[in-house]
Amino acid sequence: MLIALFADVHSNLEALTAVLEALERHKPDRILFGGDAVGYGPNPNECLDRIFEVSHGMVAGNHDHAAAGLFDPDHFNPFAREAILWTRAVLTPENHRRIASMPLTMSTEGVFVVHASPEAPGDWFYLDAAHAAAHQFEFFTENLCVVGHTHRPAIFAHDGEKVVKGPESMLTFEERFRYIVNVGSVGQPRDGNPDAMYALYETGGKTLSIHRAAYDYRATQEKMRAAHLPSFLIDRLESGT
Ligand code: ZN
């Protein structure tokens, strides 16, 4: 079975469309979404519509919760906060309800999905280093946990004692390891590459690969300017930082 995984769309319809077009070619059996449909970008309703249309399973992210009034945006930096208040105002009542229906964790086909951390799904910790990831393996039983949240792809492998962080974009599962994989971000990558990211997990051959899809970020930037979203958020789409 081929499972497609993506996260952190952040209201970027052009990036999401590029990823979904790529997935049409790969023809995955399942599509799982790792949270943060909205925030930062100009098309929250359209992105939620598409994500609910194509996904077989999903979890909520901190920006989703903030947009739906389930998390206080005062925890965000001023740019993120401004964008989330804009998002809250433009979301349709149906999309407010949809966000409230998104769970914090899910498990299917041996894959545990959570936006930030298995340990405390609603506390939005950042798993960006091996030492931060180490004890997270106690909080799920599956061999693979998929996260987003940092907007940087990463693979953490745990052998029961220690964690190794790999920079690889391709992983072949080994029996002695369990894994946490950060699938990066569709709509706001922060690894220095502006292209959208997604992952493909082949459950039979036990391989997982992280892929990029180029998209027209200038079109997204144009819409963000028209919506008067913060220029800091507009500029960073171009550098992928
Ligand atoms: Zn995010």
Side-chain angles (χ1 to χ4, degrees):
M1 172 180 289
L2 184 65
I3 302 179
L5 304 145
F6 69 105
D8 294 279
V9 171
H10 285 294
S11 302
N12 186 333
L13 186 61
E14 288 72 30
L16 177 62
T17 302
V19 166
L20 295 181
E21 280 172 9
L23 293 187
E24 273 172 29
R25 291 192 295 278
H26 293 293
K27 302 197 187 331
D29 302 290
R30 296 269 189 288
I31 298 179
L32 305 178
F33 171 60
D36 274 2
V38 303
Y40 300 135
N43 287 114
N45 288 307
E46 295 81 354
C47 288
L48 277 162
D49 290 348
R50 289 296 281 140
I51 290 167
F52 270 81
E53 204 175 292
V54 302
S55 302
H56 299 90
M58 65 177 71
V59 296
N62 51 328
H63 287 253
D64 302 322
H65 270 203
L70 303 169
F71 178 64
D72 187 349
D74 285 349
H75 294 290
F76 287 166
N77 68 53
F79 307 112
R81 184 178 177 278
E82 188 180 335
I84 217 68
L85 295 179
W86 178 89
T87 303
R88 209 182 256 184
V90 302
L91 274 184
T92 63
E94 191 196 355
N95 278 331
H96 270 283
R97 277 195 298 278
R98 276 171 158 171
I99 291 176
S101 78
M102 292 161 83
L104 284 174
T105 67
M106 65 159 296
S107 177
T108 182
E109 309 295 340
V111 185
F112 181 77
V113 186
V114 61
H115 183 64
S117 79
E119 178 187 9
D123 284 348
W124 318 115
F125 297 154
Y126 289 89
L127 300 187
D128 40 19
H131 65 84
H135 77 287
Q136 297 296 327
F137 286 87
E138 295 168 28
F139 298 95
F140 63 98
T141 55
E142 295 78 353
N143 281 334
L144 172 63
C145 168
V146 167
V147 298
H149 197 42
T150 67
H151 297 204
R152 293 186 195 91
I155 292 170
F156 300 100
H158 188 241
D159 64 3
E161 282 178 20
K162 58 183 186 321
V163 168
V164 190
K165 184 183 182 191
E168 320 90 283
S169 57
M170 175 77 185
L171 163 70
T172 302
F173 286 64
E174 288 181 50
E175 284 292 329
R176 64 199 174 100
F177 288 118
R178 291 167 68 225
Y179 298 90
I180 296 176
V181 175
N182 190 315
V183 295
S185 169
V186 172
Q188 197 171 102
R190 291 187 192 150
D191 64 338
N193 179 343
D195 296 345
M197 274 176 266
Y198 62 98
L200 294 172
Y201 171 41
E202 175 53 68
T203 62
K206 294 218 175 288
T207 57
L208 188 147
S209 46
I210 293 173
H211 299 256
R212 310 297 299 223
Y215 75 98
D216 183 8
Y217 57 77
R218 289 197 173 79
T220 315
Q221 289 178 314
E222 213 39 63
K223 290 186 196 172
M224 289 172 80
R225 270 184 215 106
H228 304 291
L229 285 159
S231 54
F232 172 76
L233 299 176
I234 299 172
D235 294 343
R236 70 191 309 186
L237 286 186
E238 193 166 337
S239 55
T241 57

